[in-house]
Amino acid sequence: MELRQLEYLVTVTEEASFTKAAAKLHVAQPGVSAQIRQLERELGQDLLDRSGRTVRPTEVGAAVLPYARAALAAVAGARQAVEELTGLVRGHVAVGTVTSLGQGVDVAGLLADFHHSHPAVEIGLIEDTSDNLLQALLTGRLDVAVVSLAGELPPGIGVQVVVDEPFVVAVAPGDPLAARTSIALDALAGRPLMCLPRGTGLRTVVDHACAAAGFRPRIAFEAGDPTVLAQFAIRGLGVAILPESLARSYPGELHAVNLSRPKLRGRLALAWRTEGPAGPAARALVRQARAALPERTERTERTEGAPA
């Protein structure tokens, strides 16, 4: 019995297909079939049911799978232990980020520095909504992510806030709201609003605040990138709710109105899984990212740059 055969068995079961398993393993399909047949001959029982449109484990195969996975995990753990003791970090890390980060988080620079420190580690990057990124962290599909915080965090997730700033109402100079310096949220009831899609931190904050104020927001436009919402607002298509730094980066084109009652804030955070296995590469990335991205809060923002 070889580890390769156990790996093939687990992969075919997970993919429910010899063809998909071969593609994932980067080997020829006949080789996968032959190795599993050899394993079945050694054990004297069929491990896979090949009679249907998809491949499924037999009763014997289902009993063998936990031991196959445990054997593969033990080998991976042994390799990680050796790498940690020798200081060698290699493998793969999966990183996630929300679509628009503004100027607060330099993900490209962070990953470039990590690649320079650990050139043997492969880095994967995806963009998605905060809800989906947090779920991917919990299931182990991601090792670290930059997410927008809104509401309670799921258990097993650690965070370090790296951006904390107010949300404001952004309108074109000709909009009636441009004469105001601040408004209450309920003044927006009935106005066409422009916001990020559901699942994003900004949208969750807005939806919860509007519900607490007793009205349902009238969302006229959605876009995954806040800069697109800013462009819509500049052209008078509605009221955009944006991070303050973005709204004020269009002087003369956008007028930023502060929200009072309630004040809404947006927070970007570095997030990672606190429970479950994590390889040395993932732990190294989390350590380096936390050191490179200082924790920010409303208090530190207000006092930053103040005289000592």
Side-chain angles (χ1 to χ4, degrees):
M1 188 180 301
E2 300 179 3
L3 286 171
R4 177 178 56 178
Q5 296 168 343
L6 299 180
E7 181 185 14
Y8 289 2
L9 174 64
V10 169
T11 307
V12 170
T13 302
E14 290 175 347
E15 299 295 326
S17 165
F18 281 95
T19 301
K20 292 180 180 178
K24 185 175 182 178
L25 293 164
H26 303 291
V27 296
Q29 180 178 331
V32 175
S33 299
Q35 288 297 321
I36 292 180
R37 283 294 190 192
Q38 184 175 337
L39 179 61
E40 289 175 323
R41 285 194 296 270
E42 182 172 343
L43 294 175
Q45 295 287 337
D46 287 340
L47 301 177
L48 297 174
D49 180 355
R50 302 162 172 83
S51 62
R53 297 183 62 181
T54 59
V55 180
R56 297 178 300 173
T58 63
E59 184 178 357
V60 175
V64 169
L65 277 170
Y67 295 98
R69 290 191 173 103
L72 295 173
V75 172
R79 287 174 178 156
Q80 288 181 6
V82 172
E83 289 171 354
E84 289 180 339
L85 288 172
T86 60
L88 175 65
V89 178
R90 62 174 68 249
H92 179 272
V93 291
V95 183
T97 177
V98 290
T99 302
S100 180
L101 295 171
Q103 301 177 353
V105 185
D106 181 10
V107 170
L110 175 66
L111 296 184
D113 290 343
F114 182 77
H115 176 68
H116 179 75
S117 302
H118 306 287
V121 177
E122 296 181 358
I123 303 172
L125 178 68
I126 65 168
E127 291 184 336
D128 210 329
T129 64
S130 294
D131 285 355
N132 289 339
L133 293 174
L134 288 171
Q135 185 61 33
L137 283 173
L138 287 173
T139 59
R141 290 184 288 120
L142 289 178
D143 297 303
V144 66
V146 179
V147 300
S148 182
L149 298 181
E152 294 294 325
L153 283 169
I157 296 293
V159 297
Q160 177 172 306
V161 175
V162 295
V163 174
D164 186 343
E165 67 172 319
F167 289 140
V168 298
V169 170
V171 294
D175 190 282
L177 291 178
R180 307 282 297 273
T181 57
S182 67
I183 59 170
L185 182 66
D186 58 13
L188 299 178
R191 287 294 306 266
L193 302 182
M194 298 181 292
C195 199
L196 297 183
R198 293 186 183 276
T200 60
L202 191 158
R203 179 63 176 273
T204 302
V205 168
V206 170
D207 284 348
H208 288 175
C210 290
F215 73 97
R216 184 176 181 177
R218 177 186 164 197
I219 305 298
F221 292 97
E222 289 184 347
D225 186 345
T227 59
V228 175
L229 300 177
Q231 293 297 326
F232 285 172
I234 288 171
R235 287 160 175 77
L237 294 177
V239 176
I241 300 180
L242 302 172
E244 182 180 37
S245 60
L246 175 60
R248 298 194 187 281
S249 66
Y250 294 90
E253 296 180 284
L254 274 182
H255 180 74
V257 184
N258 295 324
L259 277 167
S260 55
R261 305 197 311 273
K263 295 180 179 179
L264 305 182
R265 298 190 70 83
R267 295 182 298 156
L268 287 176
L270 186 74
W272 61 91
R273 187 173 62 259
T274 59
E275 301 173 0
R283 291 197 295 272
L285 175 59
V286 171
R287 285 195 302 268
Q288 188 162 327
R290 295 189 67 183
L293 300 173
E295 188 160 13
R296 298 286 291 264
T297 64
E298 181 180 1
R299 178 183 177 86
T300 59
E301 281 196 346
R302 287 178 174 177
T303 58
E304 189 174 77

